[in-house]
Each structure stands twice: as C-alpha cells, then as structure tokens.
Amino acid sequence: MGLREFRKKIGPVDHQRHSKYFSDHEILAPDLLVCLRENSGLPRYAMWMNITADVGDRDVNRRERVSYRTETDSEGNTERVVDSVEYETKSSASRYVSFTASIYDVQTERRIWHAKAARSRRNTATTTSSFRYPPARPVIVPGAFEVMEPALEELAVCLRER
C-alpha cells in the first residue's frame, strides 16, 4: 500500500481527528502510529507539520513627495518655492506563517527530529501621479504555501546535513 492509498484509507474524518490530536499534543496519535506500522510498504518515517499561526493583511498608504527650488527676486531676496509634487499610493498584502515540523520513527513510535519556523512575505504595488493620489492597485495576499515553501526547503537542507 502506498502513501496515497493510506491517506484514502484513513479518510478525511480520521485525518482531521489526527490533525487536532497533533495540534493539541505535538505528537502523532497512538492509533495513527499503530496503523502506520501495520501497513507494510509505507516509509519508516513520518513527517507531520502543524501551522501555529497564519495571518494575512492588506494595507494602503498614501504620501506625497514635494521638491523645492530656490528663486531669487530682482532685489536679491531668496525664497523657497514648490517645484513639483508627486503623489504616491502604495498597496501591500502580506502573510505571516509559523509552523512546527516533526519526524517520527514509525517502528519505535518516537519523535526523532523537531523544528519550528516562521516566515512572512509581502506583495506590493506602487503608483504615482503628478496631479492627485492615484487609486490603489489590487494586490493579492500571498498564499500560506508560498510563504512556507522557502522555510520547508531550509528544513530539508537541515535534514540532509544530519
């Protein structure tokens, strides 16, 4: 039996129950470990990840940049005057994700490796105008996996080095 078939065998209800158990206790459920051990053809090691925080946010900031020049009148008096004004609208969308990852030896039913990681990612779009504030451009909030993927790659490197 392969991993795909095993996932189908335990079903979505048990998967949810096992996920909750892991979230609450940070260990694999004992009945899941027994089931993993009893099904030959599965890998000896199981990795379980638990997202501990997942926060998305959007923001729009507006500011103006004013540049000045100095003018001198016929009597030699200098005065600072506005040369130009640039209006800027910056849209941003961000996501922060933290998670734990654990590797279990299915045969001994022990956790042999554990790590915590947190990452964030931001997408931005800036528009400028010389006349008034431009409308905010739509920006997509990064997906949780987009944020987690670099951290997972780092975790894989850590595992290779051990």
Side-chain angles (χ1 to χ4, degrees):
M1 171 185 299
L3 192 55
R4 242 182 254 276
E5 292 83 16
F6 180 75
R7 284 184 186 156
K8 286 181 184 176
K9 180 180 177 181
I10 65 170
V13 173
D14 277 346
H15 184 269
Q16 186 175 9
R17 182 175 57 82
H18 294 314
S19 295
K20 177 155 178 34
Y21 188 90
F22 187 86
S23 292
D24 293 344
H25 305 285
E26 289 217 0
I27 59 171
L28 291 179
D31 61 321
L32 176 61
L33 282 167
V34 169
C35 192
L36 284 167
R37 200 172 50 248
E38 289 174 350
N39 287 280
S40 62
L42 290 176
R44 177 177 174 178
Y45 301 99
M47 181 175 191
W48 199 274
M49 293 175 45
N50 186 34
I51 294 177
T52 55
D54 182 6
V55 181
D57 191 25
R58 292 179 190 266
D59 194 22
V60 174
N61 291 309
R62 292 180 170 86
R63 70 178 188 169
E64 61 183 51
R65 292 186 190 148
V66 181
S67 60
Y68 299 92
R69 68 176 187 275
T70 304
E71 287 189 353
T72 306
D73 63 14
S74 59
E75 298 174 359
N77 299 318
T78 58
E79 184 179 13
R80 191 173 157 200
V81 296
V82 174
D83 186 40
S84 67
V85 179
E86 182 178 74
Y87 298 92
E88 178 183 273
T89 302
K90 183 177 185 178
S91 307
S92 64
S94 63
R95 181 172 303 276
Y96 168 82
V97 178
S98 66
F99 62 97
T100 61
S102 299
I103 296 180
Y104 292 86
D105 184 329
V106 173
Q107 291 177 356
T108 63
E109 297 185 9
R110 292 185 179 210
R111 182 170 70 181
I112 59 172
W113 184 84
H114 182 75
K116 294 179 180 181
R119 291 290 184 277
S120 63
R121 183 172 172 177
R122 177 180 300 273
N123 293 333
T124 60
T126 304
T127 49
T128 58
S129 171
S130 298
F131 304 107
R132 65 175 190 269
Y133 288 110
R137 290 177 43 199
V139 180
I140 297 171
V141 175
F145 188 75
E146 286 179 79
V147 178
M148 289 174 57
E149 189 174 28
L152 293 173
E153 289 172 1
E154 288 177 24
L155 290 176
V157 169
C158 288
L159 288 171
R160 273 187 246 143
E161 292 174 355
R162 292 192 179 251

